Amino acid sequence: LQVERFLVDSGWQTDTIYKWAREYSRKQQVNVVKGRGISAKAVPMSDYRPRVGEKIGHYWLQRTVGKGILTRVIEPDTNYWKSQAYLRLKMSKGDRGTITLFGRPTDHPTFSAHCASEYPIEREEVGRRVWEWHHRVDKPDNHWWDCLVGCLVGAAILGCQVTLGQSRGTV
């Protein structure tokens, strides 16, 4: 199989990531990503209207950044996408849309620790309910959690329908 698209998180060493993405030989496959958590009191991405040069997708926005040499950046609503990942991990094995791992849950201690590195707080403002995600101080690594969330964003960018609903179940 060929990789159609891959996402690169630009939250750390941003300038280095932008430079690499501009110089990569197959730059059409690359999406630089910088997540942003849209709070309950903010306008949801589903209500955004694109400005010139922007593209709006399902809870993600693509825009161009930089001076001189420009870089396209995807900005997903991380609160929305982390909630989607959480709900899918919590579903029963075999349910449509679930995320399942091989073996037993105890076979994946590092992945589990990364997925448990953040927690949601349910907030409601202006008639909108959102799980706002926060990092646990005692669990510093969340890289694999971010990668899982990024896979859902990448699937949505490629046209997959990946929505379950934000407030389904309990946290």
Side-chain angles (χ1 to χ4, degrees):
L1 294 174
Q2 292 278 343
V3 173
E4 185 173 339
R5 183 87 41 97
F6 61 94
L7 309 180
V8 181
D9 187 350
S10 66
W12 186 65
Q13 295 193 359
T14 304
D15 292 338
T16 301
I17 297 298
Y18 286 0
K19 183 178 186 299
W20 173 83
R22 287 190 304 265
E23 295 174 358
Y24 184 66
S25 62
R26 290 176 277 182
K27 60 183 99 192
Q28 287 71 22
Q29 292 177 307
V30 176
N31 282 125
V32 174
V33 178
K34 177 64 175 111
R36 53 166 140 157
I38 308 295
S39 68
K41 63 184 172 188
V43 174
M45 281 192 169
S46 58
D47 291 347
Y48 282 18
R49 298 294 166 252
R51 297 179 183 148
V52 174
E54 291 182 341
K55 179 179 179 183
I56 304 281
H58 186 73
Y59 288 88
W60 58 268
L61 161 72
Q62 177 180 296
R63 64 187 184 91
T64 306
V65 299
K67 295 179 180 171
I69 301 175
L70 304 177
T71 303
R72 288 177 302 150
V73 176
I74 301 288
E75 296 180 355
D77 176 354
T78 55
N79 284 327
Y80 175 83
W81 288 108
K82 288 176 182 184
S83 298
Q84 291 295 312
Y86 169 81
L87 290 169
R88 289 169 184 285
L89 285 168
K90 196 175 160 202
M91 293 169 68
S92 297
K93 191 174 186 178
D95 282 353
R96 184 177 177 186
T98 191
I99 294 173
T100 56
L101 305 174
F102 68 89
R104 300 177 315 271
T106 55
D107 293 337
H108 308 281
T110 305
F111 182 79
S112 297
H114 282 235
C115 288
S117 66
E118 297 183 24
Y119 63 96
I121 295 177
E122 189 172 35
R123 303 255 192 242
E124 187 167 355
E125 300 271 344
V126 295
R128 191 167 106 83
R129 186 178 304 166
V130 171
W131 286 343
E132 295 178 2
W133 289 81
H134 304 275
H135 200 87
R136 294 182 198 279
V137 177
D138 61 329
K139 298 189 185 296
D141 290 332
N142 70 339
H143 310 299
W144 292 2
W145 171 240
D146 279 352
C147 288
L148 176 64
V149 171
C151 287
L152 291 177
V153 174
I157 290 168
L158 291 174
C160 293
Q161 295 199 1
V162 292
T163 301
L164 288 175
Q166 182 137 343
S167 297
R168 203 168 136 182
T170 57
V171 180

